[in-house]
Amino acid sequence: MSELGKTLQVVQLLNGADLSAVELCQALGVSVATLKRYVADARHMGARIESYGGGRNPWFYRLNNWDQIAARVVVWARLEAERDLRLPI
């Protein structure tokens, strides 16, 4: 899966669920540093993702605007998953 695909997957995973950094890293098979980059990219594209926790508590992420971005995220994710410039035969 491409980097854009994984960024979109982060947004989709956060739809309706607060997830810890550990849960997201495991779901994506990435390091915390890579997860932070995906979250930053998603924020740059308009996803309002807030993070909370730290210290003795794990970091959690929450998406606050799924209703505003859902249609575009779903289309982008589908296009990214099916990325192929060849026409069907």
Side-chain angles (χ1 to χ4, degrees):
M1 181 179 300
S2 71
E3 296 298 294
L4 174 57
K6 288 197 176 191
T7 297
L8 294 169
Q9 190 176 7
V10 167
V11 175
Q12 289 178 308
L13 288 168
L14 290 172
N15 171 23
D18 291 4
L19 296 174
S20 72
V22 171
E23 291 169 317
L24 287 167
C25 286
Q26 289 175 345
L28 298 166
V30 299
S31 68
V32 172
T34 301
L35 172 65
K36 287 181 180 182
R37 189 178 77 239
Y38 293 151
V39 169
D41 289 347
R43 286 173 173 157
H44 180 74
M45 291 189 294
R48 283 197 318 242
I49 298 173
E50 72 178 65
S51 54
Y52 60 95
R56 293 182 180 195
N57 300 314
W59 281 100
F60 280 84
Y61 292 91
R62 173 182 296 149
L63 177 66
N64 290 321
N65 66 332
W66 177 253
D67 57 327
Q68 296 172 346
I69 64 172
R72 182 147 302 168
V73 169
V74 169
V75 170
W76 274 9
R78 182 181 51 78
L79 289 171
E80 191 62 21
E82 298 172 357
R83 188 189 330 195
D84 190 341
L85 296 175
R86 298 167 292 181
L87 292 174
I89 297 176

